[in-house]
Amino acid sequence: MYALIDCNNFYASCERVFQPQLDKKPIVVLSNNDGCIISRSDEAKKIGVPMGIPEFQVKTMLQEHKVAIFSSNYSLYGDLSNRVMTILEQFSPAVEVYSIDEAFMNFEGMSISDFTEYGLQIKNRIRKWTSIPTSIGFAPSKALSKVANKIARKFPEHTKGVYVIDTDEKRIKALKWTKIEDIWGIGFRLSKKMKAKNILTAYDFIQPHHEVFIKKEMGVTGLRLKYELEGKSVISIEEPKSKKSIAITRSFEKSITNYDELKERVSTFAMVCAEKLRKQKACCYNVILYLRKDKYIEENTRYNFSRMHTLPFATNSGITISTTAIKMLKEVFEENAVYKKAGIIVTQIIPEDTKQFHLFEEENPKHQAIMKVMDQYLQKTGERKIKLGNQDLEKTWLMKQKHLSQKYTTDIKEILTVKC
C-alpha cells in the first residue's frame, strides 16, 4: 500500500503557523519579486482569487476583501517542509519527498490493520507538531494514491482528510470521478488530445480500446500510468538522487547596465551554486553563464545569451566557479546594454569522493579550507557573511519582497518573541 501526503495550501499554511490571527482569513503568497500569486488559502479561493495571476491585476480585489499578502519566504517554507518529512519517516522507512509539500510513502512489509486510522495518526501528529494541515490518500499504487489524496482534500467533512482506496468498487468510483486533466502526468496539451478521443475521465483512460492511442501519445510512460490506475504497482518509491545540474538564476529588481554591478550578481550566484554542490557532496566540470537583456528595451536584437566553460578538474570551490563565471562575463558583456536577469548553472556533476586529481593542473588546495569555514559559519548563523571581495556584503540577491514575513525558525534575530 502507498500513501501520498500533501500539505494543504502549503505556503499560506506556513504563514499561519506563527500568525494565528490569520486563521480563517484569506491569504495569498507571491512569487519571486512579488510577481504572481503562487499559493492561496481556501478563503482566498472562495472569493475568486485566480492562481498564477500577476498580483497587480487583482490588487483591487485583494484590498476589497482584506486579503493578507505575503512575499515568498523560502527559508521558512523549506524548514517547515523538512520538519514534516522528518515526522513522516517515523511512520514508514520508505519515504520519497516528491516536492516541498508532497511525499509518497510505501508500507510494504508493515502490518497495518486500519489505514484510515493510521492516516489520521500521521495527520494529527503533523498538525500537532508543526500546525500544518495535510491530506492523505492511500492506494495500492502511487498514481492511485494521488487520486485518493484529491478525494481526501475535496471532501474533508466526509473523509476527515484521509481516504483509502482498498477495493475495486472504490477504485472504479474514484476513477469515474477524476477528470482526465487531473491525472498525475497528464498536462494541458495532452488532456486536449485525450478529450478529442472522448477520454474524459481516468476511467475512460484505462479502457482497453484506448491502449494503442495512449501508447502512441505517451509511450511506455502512458502504459505504466494505465497499469497504476488499474491498481498494479509499477512505479516504485525512488531513492534520493544527486542533481544532474544546479542552477541559480534571478531577475533583478531593477535593470542593470553597469559591469561591476552585474559582476557582483554573477559572483554571488556562482558562490551559492558552489555551496549547493558541497551540500550534496559533489563537484562539477562545466560552468554555464546565462544573461538576459530587457527585451522591451533591446528591440529587434538577441536578448538571451549563454556561455559554457569546461574546467580541467572537478570542483566545488566558490572561488574557482566565480572566477570562471566572471571570465565568461567579460567576454559577453556589452556596454550600454540593459540586463534584466542573470544566472549560473553547473553541470557534469560527479560525487565528491570520485574526483580524480591531476598531476600538472589542479586548483589551490587552500580553497577547500576556506569553503569549509564559510559552510560552518552559514550552518551556525544562517547568514552568508563571509564573501568574496567582489560581492556586496549587504545582500545575497536583491529581490522585491515588500510583504516578507519573519524567518521564525531559521534566523535567531527573527525568532518568535512572547510577551508575558
Side-chain angles (χ1 to χ4, degrees), residues 180-181 186-201 204-205 209-210 213 217:
I180 188 66
E181 61 266 29
I186 303 291
F188 174 73
R189 291 183 180 179
L190 197 52
S191 67
K192 287 182 68 176
K193 292 182 179 180
M194 295 287 176
K195 289 177 181 178
K197 284 286 185 179
N198 205 33
I199 303 175
L200 306 179
T201 66
D204 297 331
F205 184 84
H209 58 277
H210 291 309
F213 172 75
E217 293 296 330

Side-chain angles (χ1 to χ4, degrees), residues 132-316:
I132 299 294
T134 55
S135 299
I136 305 177
F138 291 89
S141 68
K142 288 174 73 175
L144 267 181
S145 70
K146 272 268 190 181
V147 175
N149 184 277
K150 285 184 180 293
I151 295 172
R153 180 77 175 92
K154 185 71 174 178
F155 307 103
E157 64 281 0
H158 298 299
T159 64
K160 296 182 180 179
V162 177
Y163 188 71
V164 182
I165 296 178
D166 53 1
T167 66
D168 263 349
E169 182 182 359
K170 285 185 178 181
R171 180 179 65 85
I172 292 171
K173 186 177 180 180
L175 294 181
K176 288 181 176 179
W177 173 81
T178 304
K179 297 177 182 178
I180 188 66
E181 61 266 29
D182 292 334
I183 299 177
W184 185 30
I186 303 291
F188 174 73
R189 291 183 180 179
L190 197 52
S191 67
K192 287 182 68 176
K193 292 182 179 180
M194 295 287 176
K195 289 177 181 178
K197 284 286 185 179
N198 205 33
I199 303 175
L200 306 179
T201 66
Y203 185 71
D204 297 331
F205 184 84
I206 66 170
Q207 296 309 303
H209 58 277
H210 291 309
E211 189 167 312
V212 174
F213 172 75
I214 291 169
K215 186 176 182 180
K216 179 184 174 184
E217 293 296 330
M218 299 179 67
V220 177
T221 302
L223 293 180
R224 286 179 179 172
L225 181 57
K226 178 178 179 292
Y227 298 149
E228 284 269 317
L229 294 175
E230 290 173 343
K232 305 167 188 172
S233 178
V234 294
I235 305 175
S236 59
I237 293 287
E238 295 182 6
E239 295 294 327
K241 297 178 181 178
S242 295
K243 295 179 180 178
K244 295 181 179 179
S245 66
I246 294 174
I248 300 294
T249 62
R250 292 292 184 274
S251 296
F252 307 131
E253 184 187 30
K254 59 181 180 179
S255 298
I256 293 177
T257 57
N258 180 272
Y259 171 76
D260 288 333
E261 193 174 353
L262 187 59
K263 182 175 77 171
E264 191 280 332
R265 296 289 80 200
V266 167
S267 180
T268 295
F269 298 161
M271 291 295 286
V272 178
C273 263
E275 177 191 304
K276 289 181 177 291
L277 277 171
R278 296 192 298 274
K279 192 172 182 179
Q280 73 173 45
K281 299 186 183 304
C283 296
C284 75
Y285 277 103
N286 292 340
V287 181
I288 300 171
L289 169 70
Y290 169 77
L291 295 174
R292 177 186 288 177
K293 294 180 180 179
D294 191 329
K295 63 182 179 181
Y296 298 106
I297 296 177
E298 305 281 341
E299 294 183 359
N300 302 317
T301 63
R302 179 183 170 196
Y303 57 87
N304 280 321
F305 297 85
S306 64
R307 184 67 60 93
M308 185 179 81
H309 181 80
T310 301
L311 298 166
F313 47 79
T315 185
N316 56 21

Side-chain angles (χ1 to χ4, degrees), residues 285-404:
Y285 277 103
N286 292 340
V287 181
I288 300 171
L289 169 70
Y290 169 77
L291 295 174
R292 177 186 288 177
K293 294 180 180 179
D294 191 329
K295 63 182 179 181
Y296 298 106
I297 296 177
E298 305 281 341
E299 294 183 359
N300 302 317
T301 63
R302 179 183 170 196
Y303 57 87
N304 280 321
F305 297 85
S306 64
R307 184 67 60 93
M308 185 179 81
H309 181 80
T310 301
L311 298 166
F313 47 79
T315 185
N316 56 21
S317 164
I319 299 172
T320 301
I321 295 173
S322 175
T323 302
T324 303
I326 290 171
K327 284 180 180 178
M328 292 189 285
L329 178 63
K330 288 179 180 177
E331 296 172 0
V332 299
F333 179 79
E334 297 178 15
E335 292 287 346
N336 302 318
V338 181
Y339 293 96
K340 193 68 179 174
K341 186 176 184 179
I344 296 296
I345 306 165
V346 294
T347 62
Q348 201 174 339
I349 295 174
I350 63 169
E352 190 178 47
D353 56 8
T354 63
K355 175 182 176 180
Q356 293 185 348
F357 291 90
H358 296 258
L359 182 61
F360 300 107
E361 192 169 13
E362 187 59 63
E363 75 181 356
N364 191 327
K366 293 181 180 179
H367 285 197
Q368 289 304 313
I370 296 171
M371 296 300 110
K372 185 177 181 180
V373 172
M374 294 176 71
D375 291 341
Q376 287 174 342
Y377 185 85
L378 175 62
Q379 186 177 12
K380 184 177 180 180
T381 66
E383 297 181 340
R384 296 184 176 97
K385 289 295 186 183
I386 305 177
K387 299 186 177 185
L388 301 184
N390 57 17
Q391 290 182 264
D392 189 325
L393 292 175
E394 300 301 320
K395 61 183 181 181
T396 303
W397 46 70
L398 188 60
M399 286 197 299
K400 183 180 177 183
Q401 293 180 307
K402 291 183 178 179
H403 313 284
L404 187 64

